[in-house]
Amino acid sequence: VNILFVGRLDPRKGLPLLIQSMPEVVRESGQRARLLIVGDSYLRSRFEASVPGVARPHVHFLGHVPSAQVPRWYATGDIFISPALGQESFGIVLLEAMAAARMVVASDIPGYRSVVVPDVNGALFPVGDRAALARTIARLVDDPERRLLTAGRGRARALEFAWPRVTDRIEAVYRDVLARRGAVHSAA
């Protein structure tokens, strides 16, 4: 089962937490899980060195991937993980994974809560809780039906943020503001 991380290799993105959860995920899944890490930074060698020995055969750093190839990696993943520690204003990366019909697991931060509805279109775990992250991933590795059902709902959620829908909503706000402005000017 492919667990996918896509993002800059930055500690605040929660990658150290994900890496440290892998021994438990590997053990609990009967060694049926592997972590695919798409992204790069000058910290890559430090992250690679931090992978616990028992998890090393199950953790693969793929480096930088051109934007045009990222959808292919989403399609390869069974479970998408974003364990960010905070400072994420919105879960665009979650929507990308959901649009590819991937099960999403993310840290329970405000920006992600605006996208993920727990047990409906994804799973949230307490920020920084390595054990909770490992348990969540291991359960999903063993539950392909839940992954598929939740991923389908995630795709429907992602479509709510598609540009045609978003632009319709933005235009409605502008029309409302213009109508109110016109009402104010005509009353004066």
Side-chain angles (χ1 to χ4, degrees), residues 20-30 54 130-132 134-135 138:
Q20 293 309 309
S21 75
M22 285 307 293
E24 186 176 337
V25 171
V26 168
R27 184 179 63 251
E28 294 297 318
S29 70
V54 69
R130 183 206 49 77
R135 276 191 311 274

Side-chain angles (χ1 to χ4, degrees), residues 13-58:
K13 298 290 186 181
L15 187 56
L17 181 73
L18 179 55
I19 289 170
Q20 293 309 309
S21 75
M22 285 307 293
E24 186 176 337
V25 171
V26 168
R27 184 179 63 251
E28 294 297 318
S29 70
Q31 300 196 20
R32 293 182 303 115
R34 70 177 171 174
L35 174 60
L36 305 174
I37 300 169
V38 173
D40 218 343
S41 82
Y42 69 95
L43 297 171
R44 179 177 173 173
S45 60
R46 186 169 84 172
F47 286 123
E48 288 175 328
S50 75
V51 177
V54 69
R56 277 203 176 105
H58 303 273

Side-chain angles (χ1 to χ4, degrees), residues 162-175:
W163 278 115
R165 285 187 158 168
V166 171
T167 54
D168 287 346
R169 285 186 237 148
I170 292 170
E171 287 176 4
V173 169
Y174 277 117
R175 282 192 293 276

Side-chain angles (χ1 to χ4, degrees), residues 179-188:
R180 289 179 191 199
R181 187 172 182 206
V184 168
H185 285 316
S186 62

